[in-house]
Structures are given as structure tokens and as C-alpha cells.
Amino acid sequence: MRQERELGPSASPRAGHPGRGVRGRPPGRRGRTAGPEHRLLTAASALYLLTTMAAAAPAYAAAPAHALAPAYVPAPAHAVAPAYVPAAAGGSKERDAQLVYCLDAEHRRALVTAAIRLGLLQQDATPDGVVRPSAAGAGSMTLEQWAERREEDFGRSCSALMAAASDSPGTAAEEKEEEDWLTAFVKSLPLLAAGALLTLGGQFSERISSERRQLSHQLASREAAFRAAVHEYLTAYENDPRADHAEVATSREALRGVLAQVPGPAARRTAAQRLAEELPLVRPLPAAQGGEILGTEGRARLGREVRESVETQPRAVMEINRRGLYWRWRALRRRSTRTAPHRG
């Protein structure tokens, strides 16, 4: 114990370890700076990198855009080309249409021909679809790989092919999307017009039919009431020449009012007006005629004449309510009869 206390820090067993420093850390690790050789090597590497970048900058700036693509390394023989080219996220509809149209089996040969004519592919394309871009350093690849790695060249060739064929599905899709609402609206106009005309025609026909039914009912009821009043009055008149005429006058005016509401054409209105003026019993029948008082036989004779005229009214009244086409035909026939030349 006494001997151990006399040992100083330098005499510690840890201090005497050949691979550790004063604090027990290996040389060259944390807490110890690199030597002159390491700093010289780092500076030389940085200087070489800067020199290389400065030398390549002018050539990189002067090179065309298509020459900056990485050189294609031919795939080994056992590698299988992708069956399709996946569209990039957010790709345009024109790009999607180009991939579908130009990589179709029917258009692949025409696509290669268009690209060769534009100087984008070399003329050593194989029948199985392996091509080689004209850019320096580009190796052989399939059309799918060319469409994916040389998007600008593929898009240019495919656009030229679709324009030459006048069958651009991408353009047609965009135009269809832009004009879809207008085309649909224009195409639906005839249907809308036909539907509106049918609706209006149906409403008009229904309104006309309803008016005819209402007028027919009014004419029939007013004419029946007038005829009943006439028969009652004539029966009373044969017994008493001073029979009450008020009911006949009232029913007669009611029938005249309905006849005045008969709509056109003009021939029907004229016929209704003439029928209203020809209604009998405008005034009561006379008690005397020719200066002589009418007896029972004389009043009966006048009564029969009035009944005969009244009995012909139902048919004439109901004929007034016939359709307008019938009255137009009657007016046309009457006009043609008037203008027909008389033969001697």
C-alpha cells in the first residue's frame, strides 16, 4: 500500500500503455490533429477536383442539349426490355397519347422511319425494334428505352408521325375536352327544341280541347234551356195569348251570350252571329193578326211554326262547335265557288 501511493501519475499502469496518450486516447483519434502528410493529401485532392471541373466547364456549356444525356451502356443478352414505358407523374395527355399511339405495333416501324428522316436515329435499326440514337456515345436500345431516355427526340418523332398521318389522338383528345360542352350543347339543341315544341303543342291542344268541351257544354245547356222555355211558352200561348214571355226572353239572351263567345275562324264566328240573330220569339206572339183576333186554331198554327224552327236549332248550335279545320275548309270552298268562272 505504501509503495503504491509513492507512485506518481507517470508511474500509473495506464500511462505506461504503449498505444495510449496522456489521457488514454489512441493517437490520431479525437482530440488529436492530423499530421502534415494528411493535410497535404487533402489539399492535392481538392486542387485536382477544381482543375477538372474548370477544364470541363467550356465543353459542357457548348454541348447541345441532346448530347448531355448519359451514354447508354448496352444491357447484357439475358436482360429483358420493359414491356411498356411508365408515364411520369403529372405527365401531359399529349405525352400519354404519344406513348400509346407511336409504340403501338402498327406504328413502330413508321416511328423509326420518321426518327431516321429527322436524324434522331441511325439507319441500323433491327427488325425486332432495337435502335441506336444519333447522339454520340449512345448505344443500342429498344424503342421503349429510347422513348424513356430520349424523351425530346421521341416526342419530336411521334408528333411528326401523327401530324403526317393526320391522326393525332392527343390533339383530338384536347380538342374534344375543350369543345365537349359546346358540342354537347349544340347536339342537344334539336332535342331541346323538339321537346319544347312537343310540350307547347300538347299544352295548346289540351287548352283548345278544354275550351271546346266547355263551349260545347255551355251551348248544349243554354240551347236545351231555351227550347224548354219555348215549348212551355207555346203550350201556354195556345190557351192564353197573354202567356208570360219572360222565361223565353231570359233563356234566349243566355244562348245569344254563349254564341257571341264562339272563337274563330271568321267563318265560324259569322255562322254563330247569324244563328243568334235568327233565334225565334224575340217578342211574344201576337194575340191578333191581320186585324182579327186569333183563336185557338190560329194560335196553334203559329205555335207549330215556331216549334219547327226551334227543333232545327240543336243541330245548328252544335255544328258551331266543330273544329276550326272544318270551318276553314268551308270558307275555302265558298271562296272557290265564288271565283269559279261561269260557263255559258
Side-chain angles (χ1 to χ4, degrees):
M1 299 292 293
R2 185 176 180 182
Q3 185 177 0
E4 291 178 359
R5 289 193 188 99
E6 292 178 357
L7 292 176
S10 61
S12 174
R14 181 178 299 180
H17 194 280
R20 297 183 182 272
V22 177
R23 295 186 179 181
R25 293 180 181 139
R29 293 187 180 181
R30 293 180 303 173
R32 185 174 182 179
T33 59
E37 296 83 357
H38 179 72
R39 290 195 296 271
L40 181 59
L41 180 60
T42 303
S45 300
L47 180 60
Y48 176 78
L49 180 61
L50 292 175
T51 304
T52 304
M53 292 177 62
Y60 183 86
H66 64 272
L68 300 180
Y72 171 72
V73 179
H78 62 275
V80 180
Y84 68 96
V85 180
S92 64
K93 295 182 179 180
E94 179 69 20
R95 168 70 176 175
D96 296 341
Q98 290 177 350
L99 292 175
V100 173
Y101 181 81
C102 291
L103 292 183
D104 187 72
E106 298 180 358
H107 306 130
R108 294 170 72 93
R109 184 179 299 274
L111 174 64
V112 174
T113 302
I116 293 175
R117 291 180 179 177
L118 294 175
L120 303 176
L121 290 178
Q122 298 185 14
Q123 298 185 1
D124 54 355
T126 60
D128 55 354
V130 178
V131 297
R132 185 170 56 171
S134 299
S140 300
M141 61 186 70
T142 62
L143 285 177
E144 287 79 3
Q145 293 172 339
W146 178 59
E148 180 180 5
R149 298 172 183 175
R150 312 288 296 185
E151 294 184 5
E152 183 178 353
D153 295 350
F154 170 76
R156 180 184 173 189
S157 303
C158 189
S159 298
L161 174 62
M162 291 191 297
S166 298
D167 187 16
S168 174
T171 304
E174 292 181 358
E175 292 178 354
K176 181 178 181 181
E177 181 179 0
E178 293 176 357
E179 300 179 0
D180 184 48
W181 68 271
L182 181 60
T183 304
F185 177 73
V186 172
K187 289 183 178 179
S188 63
L189 279 180
L191 296 178
L192 293 175
L197 290 177
L198 288 176
T199 302
L200 293 177
Q203 293 177 354
F204 179 76
S205 177
E206 180 62 25
R207 182 173 62 85
I208 295 299
S209 299
S210 177
E211 292 177 354
R212 288 185 66 253
R213 289 193 298 268
Q214 183 179 2
L215 180 62
S216 177
H217 175 72
Q218 291 178 353
L219 287 173
S221 61
R222 296 296 186 271
E223 191 277 332
F226 174 69
R227 189 152 37 89
V230 168
H231 283 288
E232 184 178 355
Y233 168 74
L234 293 178
T235 302
Y237 171 75
E238 291 177 3
N239 297 324
D240 185 3
R242 293 172 297 181
D244 189 10
H245 182 264
E247 186 67 23
V248 175
T250 302
S251 59
R252 186 177 185 276
E253 289 301 321
L255 180 56
R256 282 173 56 88
V258 177
L259 290 172
Q261 298 177 5
V262 172
R268 180 164 57 185
R269 288 197 301 267
T270 303
Q273 183 180 3
R274 184 173 60 252
L275 181 61
E277 294 175 353
E278 292 176 355
L279 290 176
L281 296 178
V282 179
R283 291 178 297 273
L285 291 177
Q289 190 177 26
E292 296 180 359
I293 297 177
L294 294 174
T296 304
E297 185 178 352
R299 291 194 300 270
R301 179 176 50 82
L302 290 178
R304 285 194 301 270
E305 294 177 359
V306 174
R307 283 191 181 93
E308 290 176 359
S309 64
V310 171
E311 292 300 329
T312 61
Q313 287 181 355
R315 181 177 179 182
V317 169
M318 299 312 298
E319 189 179 22
I320 293 295
N321 199 33
R322 298 187 68 171
R323 295 184 179 274
L325 184 61
Y326 166 78
W327 290 101
R328 290 188 178 90
W329 173 77
R330 284 190 56 174
L332 181 62
R333 192 176 68 170
R334 186 181 296 110
R335 189 180 301 111
S336 61
T337 303
R338 290 177 181 177
T339 56
H342 297 283
R343 295 183 180 179

